[in-house]
């Protein structure tokens, strides 16, 4: 081996030089491209009037994506005057082409528009909700979902998507927990990177690429009481350590735009928060893109008590907001504010420049209609391939929460009682935040079972209940959509029919849970149980003594203590998307062995909220033993969640050996190798998400009890073992101290590896500087 070492060394040197040369060339090219862009934008701005510059800061809404109480008016007239910079809510080649032609050919300077839309979990082909997608723990699938969504979106003329939502959420009452990746900052950062890369591709100038808009900046998921649009108040350490990392990760991945959030931060609304939009985002993190407000969030600053529309518009511009969504505060007040000295010309110019740079980066000045291709719209949207992928990612997102006595997978024979208001339902398959998806093209659970097992299984169907019989919940949940089609029978008549149906079957499959509009924006819930009408149905079915399989639709963690106690099996399907029924049937009958793991803790009771795995210890921690007083516990329930972060079962079982470290004493910037042997001890081939956590038991501030720092998804055949290794560096030990310095401190560290945050093997290491 030694005689080859000089050759290897020389090769390594050559490769290093090649790498350095490539990096130098890339840097030089980037600088040249930036210089070219700056020259172009400066030349264009030199021709623009003040009104035209302000017009670039105005984003209007058309079409079907109205998510507020204000609707844009006089759009075509404003466009001719150069008073609009972009449109959202409009899609389809013909619709977009009409407006883009009007902007380019009908305005004085021919400046193209940017077209945006809420493309959240697919465009036409709908994938599971983001919380469900995150449960795949498969970054390749996650990135591919964004790539496919971008391809469909651009095929219909779009070039900007209001996604990903990277807000950390620890409160299941908050409706928009459905739109993010859960509670963990490290994992949320990995998902943020994957989504941005999927949307933006290799180059924003590519016809299939869209510019990502990261939201909601910032801390929106920390809203008090889990109530939409509510106040956020937290320490700086909590911000930097637990909530801000995914936003920074999105910047590192190249995200082109950000969206300000509705909430306040340190008493200052995010949309007018200079510390947030300028000091942190641009000066500390180096973000070079543009920032758009959320829907009329600028106007709503007046409700926070900071002044009239002119006053808050000036505050927003000075804070670093570049584009005003729908409210037209910039359009209607900035010229007056400039005359009165409340803003300066340079501030208007800077915001205009950032918007124009985004359009330049997208290649719209060279080709305003780069994605406008009627043939592409026919070929690239809602294809057999996109539906195949939708089925695959849905299967991978499902989480098996319980499987008593191997109830699942079901036999491909016998008789099934298929019950529940979501069992033979198309409209609720897609989930929340779907603009362009067609529920009529979704696959229901009843159809999926028929497609997968045909006539081999006899299926007896009974609806059993409405989604909800609560009139207030129904009115509010279905306020923007067609109301639930209520069955004319009484609740008891429906339950009686379901029970009689169940008595004739070998097993009951109850498809229950939340309607799509019970989560998402403006859909917070104080009670996160399954709606009472469906709970009554489940209780009646359980009394039959037949095996009860619950297929759960939900946009958030629910309180499932009764269900966990009485159901034979629980499969969390979230809201699976277009291929819902096919994917669910594949998993129920064992064509795919579920491997999803939850990314948000499921509480036992709403009274435990907020609940999350990486909490701090208290001075009086509860050790779990009964009868103790003066400890941090509840009198009536356990501190522990029902299902911890990272939890998810399989049709097979896995055993973990002890954690092995290649060294137990380290010093300086070296690498620690931690390994564990994982064995498939069951009868089915299956995937397992092996999770790495690190604890820092002694530090200069109180640290989290553990933090996720890595994972690997492996596939094992029955009886097969695999050694899983993690390379740990000092970067994995860093945290923000009381001076907000991001660094690591020497001492003891506990390395934990396991199947979820509550079930790990551990080993200790001493690591000195």
């Amino acid at each position: 081996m030694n005689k080859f070492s000089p050759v290897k060394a020389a090769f390594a040197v050559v490769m290093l030089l090649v790498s350095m040369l490539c990096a130098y060339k890339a840097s030089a090219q980037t600088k040249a491209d930036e210089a070219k862009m700056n020259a172009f934008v400066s030349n264009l701005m030199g021709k623009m009037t003040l009104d035209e510059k302000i017009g670039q800061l105005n984003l209007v809404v058309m079409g079907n994506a109205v998510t507020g109480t204000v609707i844009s008016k006089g759009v075509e007239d404003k466009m001719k005057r150069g008073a609009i910079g972009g449109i959202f809510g409009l899609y389809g080649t013909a619709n977009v082409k009409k407006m883009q032609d009007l902007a380019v050919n009908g305005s004085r300077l021919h400046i193209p528009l940017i077209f945006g839309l809420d493309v959240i979990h697919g465009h036409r082909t709908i994938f599971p909700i983001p919380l469900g997608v995150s449960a795949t723990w498969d970054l390749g699938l996650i990135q591919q979902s964004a790539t496919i969504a971008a391809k469909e979106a651009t095929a219909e003329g779009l070039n900007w998507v209001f996604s990903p939502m990277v807000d950390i959420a620890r409160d299941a009452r908050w409706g928009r927990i459905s739109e993010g990746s859960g509670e963990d900052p490290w994992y949320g950062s990995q998902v943020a990177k994957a989504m941005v890369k999927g949307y933006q591709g290799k180059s924003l100038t590519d016809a299939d690429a869209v510019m990502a808009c990261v939201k909601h900046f910032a801390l929106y998921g920390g809203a008090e009481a889990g109530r939409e649009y509510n106040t956020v108040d937290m320490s700086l350490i909590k911000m930097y350590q637990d909530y801000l990392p995914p936003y920074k990760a999105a910047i590192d991945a190249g995200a082109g735009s950000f969206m300000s959030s509705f909430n306040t931060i340190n008493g200052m609304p995010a949309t007018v928060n200079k510390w947030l939009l300028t000091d942190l985002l641009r000066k500390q993190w180096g973000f070079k893109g543009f920032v758009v407000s959320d829907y009329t969030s600028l106007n709503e600053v007046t409700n926070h008590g900071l002044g009239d529309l002119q006053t808050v518009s000036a505050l927003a511009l000075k804070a670093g907001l570049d584009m005003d969504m729908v409210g037209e505060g910039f359009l209607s007040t900035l010229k007056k504010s400039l005359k009165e000295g409340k803003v300066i010309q340079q501030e208007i110019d800077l915001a205009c420049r950032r918007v124009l740079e985004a359009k330049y980066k997208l290649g719209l000045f060279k080709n305003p209609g780069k994605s406008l291709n009627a043939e592409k719209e026919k070929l690239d949207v809602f294809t057999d391939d996109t539906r195949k992928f939708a089925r695959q990612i849905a299967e991978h997102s499902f989480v098996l929460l319980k499987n008593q006595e191997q109830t699942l997978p079901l036999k491909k024979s016998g008789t099934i009682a298929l019950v529940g208001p979501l069992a033979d339902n198309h409209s609720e398959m897609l989930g929340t935040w779907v603009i362009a998806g067609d529920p009529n093209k979704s696959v229901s659970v009843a159809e999926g079972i028929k497609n997968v097992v045909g006539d081999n299984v006899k299926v007896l169907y009974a609806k059993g209940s409405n989604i909800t019989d609560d009139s207030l919940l129904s009115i509010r949940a279905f306020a923007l959509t067609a109301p639930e089609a209520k069955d004319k029978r009484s609740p008891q008549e429906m339950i009686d029919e379901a029970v009689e149906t169940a008595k004739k079957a070998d097993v009951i499959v109850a498809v229950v849970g939340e309607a799509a509009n019970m989560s998402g924006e403006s859909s917070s819930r104080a009670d996160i149980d399954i709606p009472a009408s469906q709970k009554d149905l489940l209780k009646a079915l359980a009394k039959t003594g037949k095996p009860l399989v619950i297929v759960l639709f939900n946009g958030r963690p629910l309180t499932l203590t009764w269900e966990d106690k009485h159901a034979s099996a629980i499969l969390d399907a979230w809201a699976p998307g277009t291929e819902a029924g096919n994917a669910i049937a594949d998993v129920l009958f064992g064509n795919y062995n579920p491997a999803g793991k939850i990314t948000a803790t499921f509480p036992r009771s709403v009274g435990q909220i907020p609940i999350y795995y990486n909490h701090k210890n208290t001075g009086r921690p509860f050790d779990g033993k009964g009868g103790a007083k003066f400890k941090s516990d509840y009198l009536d329930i356990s501190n522990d969640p029902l299902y911890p972060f990272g939890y998810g079962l399989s049709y097979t079982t896995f055993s973990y050996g002890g954690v092995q470290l290649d060294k137990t004493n380290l010093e300086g910037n070296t690498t620690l190798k931690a390994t564990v042997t994982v064995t498939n001890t069951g009868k089915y081939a299956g995937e397992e998400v092996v999770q790495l956590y690190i604890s820092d038991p002694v530090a200069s501030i109180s640290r989290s009890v553990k933090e996720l720092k890595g994972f690997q998804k492996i596939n094992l055949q029955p009886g097969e073992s695999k050694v899983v290794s993690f390379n740990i560096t000092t970067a994995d030990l860093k945290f923000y101290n009381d001076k907000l310095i991001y660094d690591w401190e020497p001492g003891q560290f506990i390395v934990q590896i396991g199947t979820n945050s509550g079930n790990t093997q551990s080993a200790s290491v001493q690591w000195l500087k």
Side-chain angles (χ1 to χ4, degrees):
M1 292 178 65
N2 290 338
K3 66 179 181 178
F4 293 108
S5 58
V7 175
K8 289 183 178 179
F11 179 76
V13 170
V14 170
M15 293 305 296
L16 177 61
L17 291 173
V18 169
S19 177
M20 292 173 63
L21 179 61
C22 291
Y24 173 78
K25 287 183 177 180
S27 177
Q29 184 62 49
T30 298
K31 290 180 180 179
D33 291 342
E34 288 182 355
K36 190 174 180 180
M37 178 180 68
N38 291 338
F40 177 88
V41 172
S42 295
N43 179 61
L44 177 58
M45 289 184 65
K47 302 173 185 177
M48 297 174 72
T49 65
L50 174 62
D51 287 330
E52 288 169 333
K53 290 177 179 177
I54 294 173
Q56 286 299 303
L57 317 185
N58 187 32
L59 179 66
V60 300
V61 62
M62 296 181 69
N64 300 315
V66 177
T67 59
T69 58
V70 177
I71 299 175
S72 302
K73 299 178 181 179
V75 172
E76 293 191 16
D77 178 63
K78 289 171 184 171
M79 200 177 307
K80 293 175 183 177
R81 294 188 284 110
I84 292 176
I87 295 175
F88 86 95
L90 193 70
Y91 54 91
T93 298
N95 294 330
V96 172
K97 186 177 188 305
K98 175 185 175 182
M99 303 310 289
Q100 190 70 290
D101 287 347
L102 192 61
V104 173
N105 301 321
S107 63
R108 188 178 75 88
L109 292 176
H110 319 297
I111 299 175
L113 299 169
I114 186 171
F115 289 87
L117 191 70
D118 289 283
V119 177
I120 308 301
H121 48 112
H123 178 54
R124 289 290 190 179
T125 309
I126 305 303
F127 311 129
I129 57 172
L131 187 61
V133 167
S134 73
T136 65
W137 293 70
D138 189 322
L139 298 177
L141 282 180
I142 292 171
Q143 181 169 332
Q144 191 177 355
S145 74
T147 299
I148 292 172
K151 187 173 184 179
E152 287 196 333
T154 54
E156 296 204 320
L158 298 166
N159 40 52
W160 187 28
V161 295
F162 303 143
S163 178
M165 191 200 89
V166 303
D167 302 322
I168 295 301
R170 295 169 165 179
D171 191 330
R173 294 172 298 180
W174 190 52
R176 296 193 86 162
I177 194 172
S178 63
E179 199 180 337
S181 299
E183 70 191 44
D184 185 71
W186 183 88
Y187 183 66
S189 296
Q190 312 315 307
V191 175
K193 291 177 187 177
M195 292 295 289
V196 169
K197 291 177 181 177
Y199 284 135
Q200 297 193 166
K202 294 180 180 179
S203 172
L204 283 172
T205 60
D206 292 342
D208 290 343
V210 293
M211 179 173 283
C213 186
V214 180
K215 61 186 189 183
H216 305 85
F217 197 61
L219 318 180
Y220 194 26
E224 289 184 356
R227 199 172 74 239
E228 192 71 75
Y229 317 121
N230 207 7
T231 298
V232 174
D233 193 6
M234 66 177 66
S235 69
L236 286 171
I237 287 179
K238 190 172 184 179
M239 287 185 201
Y240 276 80
Q241 187 69 32
D242 298 330
Y243 280 79
L244 293 177
Y247 305 109
K248 177 61 165 59
I251 293 174
D252 294 341
S257 65
F258 265 60
M259 181 185 292
S260 68
S261 55
F262 288 109
N263 54 277
T264 58
I265 299 169
N266 289 333
M268 182 66 70
T271 301
V272 296
N273 195 314
K274 186 175 182 181
W275 172 82
L276 183 70
L277 302 184
T278 295
D279 297 344
L280 176 63
L281 184 63
R282 293 186 167 106
K283 292 181 179 179
Q284 286 189 39
W285 291 352
F287 177 63
K288 295 182 179 180
F290 77 101
V291 179
V292 63
S293 71
D294 207 334
Y295 201 115
T296 65
S297 68
L298 174 53
N299 309 64
E300 292 159 23
V301 174
T302 60
N303 292 335
H304 288 288
L306 272 71
D308 62 15
L309 184 58
Q310 182 183 357
T311 299
V312 300
S313 295
L315 286 174
L317 184 73
K318 298 176 85 67
L321 186 75
D322 303 307
M323 183 174 266
D324 174 16
M325 185 186 290
V326 180
E328 300 196 345
F330 280 175
L331 189 71
S332 62
T333 70
L334 285 187
K335 192 171 184 179
K336 181 181 179 184
S337 291
L338 180 64
K339 291 179 181 178
E340 295 175 355
K342 295 178 179 178
V343 300
I344 59 176
Q345 184 67 49
Q346 290 92 325
E347 291 165 340
I348 295 174
D349 286 351
L350 181 57
C352 178
R353 174 176 289 276
R354 288 170 178 154
V355 173
L356 294 175
E357 285 177 352
K359 295 178 180 182
Y360 182 93
K361 292 172 184 176
L362 283 163
L364 295 178
F365 286 106
K366 286 186 177 180
N367 183 7
K370 69 168 189 173
S371 299
L372 298 177
N373 185 323
E375 192 64 24
K376 187 172 181 285
E377 186 174 16
K378 294 178 182 178
L379 297 176
D380 289 351
V381 174
F382 208 73
T383 67
D384 290 342
D385 285 342
T386 63
R387 295 195 70 147
K388 181 180 179 180
F389 177 80
R391 185 171 181 167
Q392 178 189 13
I393 196 170
E395 292 168 354
H396 283 69
S397 73
F398 299 160
V399 181
L400 186 62
L401 297 175
K402 182 180 180 182
N403 195 23
Q404 181 178 309
E405 298 179 358
Q406 205 71 39
T407 303
L408 294 177
L410 299 175
K411 296 178 181 179
K412 295 179 181 178
S413 61
T415 302
I416 291 174
L418 181 65
V419 301
L422 301 176
D424 191 17
N425 187 312
H426 289 273
S427 62
E428 300 297 342
M429 297 298 99
L430 303 186
T432 183
W433 260 132
V434 173
I435 305 297
D438 185 352
N440 294 317
K441 294 180 179 179
S442 67
V443 181
S444 72
V445 179
E447 290 171 337
I449 291 175
K450 181 71 174 178
N451 293 339
V452 170
V453 295
D455 295 328
N456 294 327
V457 174
K458 184 177 181 181
V459 177
L460 306 175
Y461 168 74
K463 184 176 180 181
S465 75
N466 295 309
I467 294 175
T468 179
D469 292 323
D470 183 325
S471 58
L472 180 61
L473 177 59
S474 183
I475 289 170
R476 292 186 173 180
F478 295 95
L480 297 178
T481 61
E484 178 192 3
K486 300 284 188 180
D487 198 289
K488 295 181 180 179
R489 294 171 294 173
S490 72
Q492 190 59 52
E493 286 176 314
M494 297 173 69
I495 288 175
D496 290 343
E497 180 194 43
V499 168
E500 288 305 310
T501 302
K503 290 178 179 178
K504 302 172 186 176
D506 303 312
V507 62
I508 306 164
V509 175
V511 189
V512 296
E514 294 184 305
N517 289 334
M518 288 179 180
S519 67
E521 185 172 357
S522 192
S523 296
S524 296
R525 292 181 63 198
D527 178 357
I528 54 172
D529 270 358
I530 290 175
S533 58
Q534 300 178 66
K535 177 90 78 168
D536 291 341
L537 169 64
L538 291 175
K539 289 179 178 179
L541 293 172
K543 290 178 180 178
T544 66
K546 297 295 179 77
L548 174 60
V549 175
I550 294 176
V551 176
L552 186 67
F553 277 63
N554 51 314
R556 54 164 58 82
L558 298 177
T559 45
L560 301 171
T561 50
W562 184 92
E563 290 79 3
D564 182 72
K565 184 177 181 180
H566 293 91
S568 304
I570 305 174
L571 180 68
D572 196 336
W574 313 105
T578 299
E579 286 289 305
N582 288 332
I584 288 170
D586 279 338
V587 172
L588 286 178
F589 291 98
N591 292 351
Y592 177 76
N593 185 354
K597 304 271 190 175
I598 58 174
T599 58
T601 300
F602 277 54
R604 295 178 183 276
S605 164
V606 73
Q608 292 178 302
I609 292 174
I611 185 169
Y612 46 95
Y613 86 92
N614 52 346
H615 59 85
K616 302 290 193 295
N617 246 329
T618 77
R620 294 184 175 185
F622 181 55
D623 61 7
K625 297 178 181 178
K629 290 292 288 184
F630 311 114
K631 299 292 185 180
S632 182
D633 65 340
Y634 298 102
L635 294 177
D636 49 350
I637 63 170
S638 166
N639 286 2
D640 296 330
L642 183 62
Y643 307 122
F645 174 86
Y647 174 87
L649 303 176
S650 169
Y651 293 157
T652 193
T653 52
F654 300 96
S655 68
Y656 281 69
V659 175
Q660 304 295 318
L661 305 178
D662 67 341
K663 52 185 81 73
T664 55
N665 290 279
L666 295 86
E667 186 172 346
N669 293 321
T670 185
T671 299
L672 172 67
K673 186 176 182 180
T675 60
V676 66
T677 299
V678 182
T679 303
N680 184 339
T681 55
K683 299 178 180 179
Y684 297 87
E687 297 165 294
E688 169 71 342
V689 179
V690 184
Q691 301 161 42
L692 168 69
Y693 299 87
I694 297 178
S695 300
D696 184 359
V698 180
S700 59
I701 63 171
S702 181
R703 299 293 316 283
S704 299
V705 294
K706 65 182 67 175
E707 293 177 346
L708 180 71
K709 292 297 180 180
F711 72 91
Q712 291 185 42
K713 194 170 187 178
I714 60 173
N715 197 321
L716 296 175
Q717 295 297 314
E720 182 183 5
S721 296
K722 183 171 290 187
V723 176
V724 179
S725 299
F726 294 94
N727 291 322
I728 302 168
T729 70
T730 55
D732 299 310
L733 312 179
K734 291 182 177 180
F735 65 98
Y736 288 95
N737 63 22
D738 60 345
K739 297 180 177 61
L740 288 185
I741 296 172
Y742 190 59
D743 200 2
W744 68 285
E745 298 172 351
Q748 181 190 21
F749 298 91
I750 310 299
V751 177
Q752 303 178 52
I753 303 176
T755 185
N756 62 63
S757 62
N759 186 356
T760 60
Q761 306 288 327
S762 64
S764 176
V765 62
Q766 291 288 330
W767 206 322
L768 303 179
K769 281 200 171 183

